[in-house]
Amino acid sequence: MICVNMRDKLETIILSSYEAMYKTAYTYMRNEQDAMDVVQEAVVKAIKRIEQVREEAFLKTWLFRILINTAMDELKQRKKVLPLLSEAEEGREDVYEDMDVLRLLDNLDDTEKKVITLRYFEEWKIEDISGLLEMNVNTVKSILYRSLKKMKAKMVKGEALS
Amino acid sequence: MRIDDRQEKSRNEVMDMEPLKKAYDNIPIPEELKEKVLDALKEGKAESNMKPNEKRGKLSNILLRSGQTAAAALLAITVLANSGASVAYAMEQIPVIGAITKVVTFRTYEKKEGNTEAKVEIPKVEAEQGSGYGDAVNQVNLSVEEYTNQIISQFEADVKAGGGELHKGLYSDYEVLTDNDRLFTLRINTEEVMASAAVSVKIYTIDKKSGKILALKDMFPQGTDYVTMLSNAIKTQMEADMNGDSGKSYFLNDGMDSDFTAIKENQNFYINADGHLVLVFDEYEIAPGYMGVVEMEVPETILKY
């Protein structure tokens, strides 16, 4: 059932991009421990489900899709488990000097956030993002445009980056 | 700053992503990260070397939860039985029907070849003698068989076409969703595991007595603009969900082509255990992928006249 070859390739990709995975997870989780947990869980899932991938070219987008879904599931789960502990939840955010800047991402919905993170932070091609989101290229472009507009409006309003 | 100035500024200024990119790049990497990643690699490998049976349950849970990597075709067959109507109009037209029935595994298709694996359980509904709905049950069984034959032959064709290179899993089982004095719903869950796929749904609702497959329009008096009525109900529900704290999101009011405007005339639906109409949307049909297949219960109030 397991194609060792493909798994080795996945392993290579994981080893060369785990820092990127961590940063991506961090934009969701906002603290070190949770971001690391998400990376770990995503790696385990990816290795176990490697049979799903038929083409090597999809490996990285597929890996990041698992990663982001794991982070979002974790956040959803937390909402369910800790409805009364919202203060504690706030407290789980690390002290990080640029956190305010990262909080700009909070103004975006999930899809917009993925697009911005992958396009500008990880410098992915639009085509790869469209593969990850399973949306066509023009849709991704319009989401990108819309997200930028949203963030820009927020920055001007809040002077967040002045 | 005056409003006008702000608008002026936002129009003229090019969005500068540098501070954001810098904030992102500067996220400190914890020292123990590498070690944790290596541990996870080891753990993943150890678990994937377990027997298929052991990992199957866990795997499918994850797949169903994330909903993006599994192509789960879902086939639900709803048989309308007698008494207490809450899908008001439709029930008036459906004749009284006797008690239901048992479901057995008629046969199991199992195949393992190279990197492919299939296990498909084909259920069969058995009607009690003299229950008066034998024809409908036969229809259900035929429909189930046709459907499962189709996914199996598709799988076999794919395996053949893919040579030894194909990685694919096909798992299908069934459950009785509802079994009360009025409703009997059989649901077939088909999970197709591949690199990249979307979840699609297939539901048949069968009127046991007439032997006809019920369409969504049959649930309403002739001439009712049920499409508009249901679409509005869905939009209201979407808005409520998105305003709430549920973490749900839909394609609505984004000003994009993908925005939800109306349901399809023959939108998938079933009737749940409470007797409520539930509309079912394929993955990506009305919501981002992480939402998976979306099922929306239609409030009973809109079905009353």
Side-chain angles (χ1 to χ4, degrees), chain B residues 143-216:
Chain B
S143 174
V144 165
E145 208 182 338
E146 196 182 310
Y147 175 72
T148 48
N149 280 343
Q150 183 210 322
I151 58 171
I152 290 168
S153 51
Q154 182 62 47
F155 174 79
E156 287 179 337
D158 288 349
V159 170
K160 210 172 164 192
E165 292 301 301
L166 184 72
H167 298 261
K168 186 171 175 155
L170 173 69
Y171 307 96
S172 181
D173 55 18
Y174 63 89
E175 61 187 313
V176 176
L177 267 193
T178 309
D179 191 5
N180 57 30
D181 59 349
R182 201 187 116 216
L183 288 169
F184 173 80
T185 304
L186 176 70
R187 172 165 170 161
I188 298 176
N189 298 305
T190 303
E191 197 182 303
E192 214 178 323
V193 184
M194 291 185 301
S196 149
V199 180
S200 57
V201 179
K202 210 173 189 182
I203 297 175
Y204 298 111
T205 303
I206 293 173
D207 172 358
K208 291 203 287 185
K209 188 62 180 261
S210 69
K212 267 173 58 183
I213 292 179
L214 281 179
L216 188 54

Side-chain angles (χ1 to χ4, degrees), chain A residues 83-98:
Chain A
L84 302 173
L85 298 177
S86 49
E87 277 170 62
E89 217 178 308
E90 293 273 305
R92 292 176 72 163
E93 214 170 69
D94 278 357
V95 181
Y96 170 50
E97 55 177 332
D98 287 329

Side-chain angles (χ1 to χ4, degrees), chain B residues 25-45:
Chain B
D25 285 341
N26 289 343
I27 293 171
I29 304 291
E31 270 177 40
E32 61 271 44
L33 178 66
K34 185 170 186 184
E35 202 182 313
K36 293 213 166 184
V37 169
L38 293 174
D39 283 350
L41 281 171
K42 231 187 276 173
E43 189 188 332
K45 283 187 216 167

Side-chain angles (χ1 to χ4, degrees), chain A residues 2-3 11 18 23-24 40 48-49 51-52 54 69 96 110 120-123 134 146 151-152, chain B residues 10 13 20-21 23-27 36 45 47 62 68 166-167 193-196 256 284:
Chain A
I2 288 147
C3 175
E11 198 171 332
Y18 67 83
K23 285 181 190 171
T24 304
Q40 272 197 304
K48 281 165 66 177
R49 293 195 227 156
E51 303 100 275
Q52 296 169 15
R54 279 190 288 182
N69 285 340
Y96 170 50
D110 292 327
Y120 287 102
F121 303 164
E122 289 303 325
E123 296 173 350
E134 295 177 329
R146 178 180 75 195
M151 289 172 72
K152 196 160 127 186
Chain B
S10 79
E13 208 174 74
L20 253 171
K21 168 89 170 112
Y24 179 83
D25 285 341
N26 289 343
I27 293 171
K36 293 213 166 184
K45 283 187 216 167
E47 286 187 36
I62 294 166
Q68 289 204 319
L166 184 72
H167 298 261
V193 184
M194 291 185 301
S196 149
M256 292 173 47
Y284 299 110

Side-chain angles (χ1 to χ4, degrees), chain A residues 24-31 72 75 79 89-90 93 98-114 116-117 121 147 150-152 154-155 160, chain B residues 15 17 20 242 245:
Chain A
T24 304
Y26 191 90
T27 61
Y28 285 87
M29 309 312 294
R30 307 283 166 80
N31 82 68
M72 292 199 311
L75 289 174
K79 259 188 194 158
E89 217 178 308
E90 293 273 305
E93 214 170 69
D98 287 329
M99 196 66 89
D100 279 349
V101 183
L102 290 182
R103 278 203 201 99
L104 267 180
L105 296 171
D106 294 346
N107 302 303
L108 304 177
D109 72 25
D110 292 327
T111 312
E112 293 165 348
K113 188 171 164 182
K114 284 183 206 172
I116 289 288
T117 308
F121 303 164
S147 319
K150 256 193 192 177
M151 289 172 72
K152 196 160 127 186
K154 193 75 192 174
M155 278 167 72
Chain B
M15 175 75 188
M17 293 298 288
L20 253 171
M242 287 199 283
D245 205 18

Side-chain angles (χ1 to χ4, degrees), chain A residues 3-17:
Chain A
C3 175
V4 172
N5 218 358
M6 195 67 110
R7 196 165 81 179
D8 286 349
K9 282 172 189 154
L10 175 65
E11 198 171 332
T12 311
I13 289 174
I14 291 171
L15 290 174
S16 66
S17 52

